[in-house]
Amino acid sequence: MSNPDSFINEVTEEVRREKLFGYLRRYGWIGVVCVLALVGGAAWIEYRNAQARNAAEATGDALLAALEQDDPAARAAAISAVATDGSAAAVTALLTASTQVEAGDVEAAAATLSALSTNQDVPETYRELATIKAAMLPVADTEARLASLEFLSQPGQPFRLLALEQLAYVTLETGDIEATLAILRQIEEDAAVSRGLLERAQTLMVALGEPLPEPATE
């Protein structure tokens, strides 16, 4: 290669470098901002995750400490005093109601479950479970218990079979034997019934005078 060609190539390369440095000086700050945003975002996410973990651990420790109370009434008060939200609040409310029943304060348990069943801040599954548990309590409002259980025992409801079982018990409290047996037959004939629930339903049917079905033979 001649000296003039070499000189031209060197000049061309120098011009390219100048253009590149010019672009870096003009737009390099964008890259710096992007890097800082990525680093800052990752740090913020890690901070939020750490905060959530710490909060969950603190809630768990508080619940464990509350559960260690020997007196049921004191235990219920300690559990209800734990600050929670979302699903944790639902679990705390269910524990509170269970402990209130253990302490003999059925009215307080009913109030706790009623508040949970209407709390729109917790998942629907917990609200429905609270409704079923409230219906299991020996409170005076039988009509309200029947209405809520009839709704939860409709096809497609997640706790349908459990709701049917409780509906049978509440219906039996009213003295309507035939209606109780009709509900128990629904449980017995449902393909999704568990062995334990089937046995409970059949035991009650026998106690009410209903003969057991003949065992299937091949």
Side-chain angles (χ1 to χ4, degrees), residues 115-124 127:
L116 176 58
S117 67
T118 57
N119 186 353
Q120 298 300 315
D121 294 331
V122 303
E124 184 178 3
R127 299 200 301 270

Side-chain angles (χ1 to χ4, degrees), residues 17-53:
R17 281 198 294 268
E18 282 295 324
K19 287 183 177 180
L20 176 61
F21 291 147
Y23 288 141
L24 288 176
R25 284 192 295 270
R26 181 176 299 179
Y27 303 111
W29 63 273
I30 297 177
V32 173
V33 170
C34 290
V35 171
L36 290 176
L38 288 173
V39 173
W44 173 249
I45 292 173
E46 182 60 29
Y47 171 77
R48 291 293 300 273
N49 289 340
Q51 291 290 97
R53 284 195 300 271

Side-chain angles (χ1 to χ4, degrees), residues 93-111:
L94 291 172
L95 286 172
T96 300
S98 178
T99 309
Q100 287 168 334
V101 171
E102 185 182 350
D105 196 348
V106 178
E107 293 297 330

Side-chain angles (χ1 to χ4, degrees), residues 53-68 78-79 82-84:
R53 284 195 300 271
N54 292 337
E57 290 174 0
T59 299
D61 291 341
L63 285 174
L64 287 174
L67 290 170
E68 290 176 355
I79 293 172
V82 177
T84 53

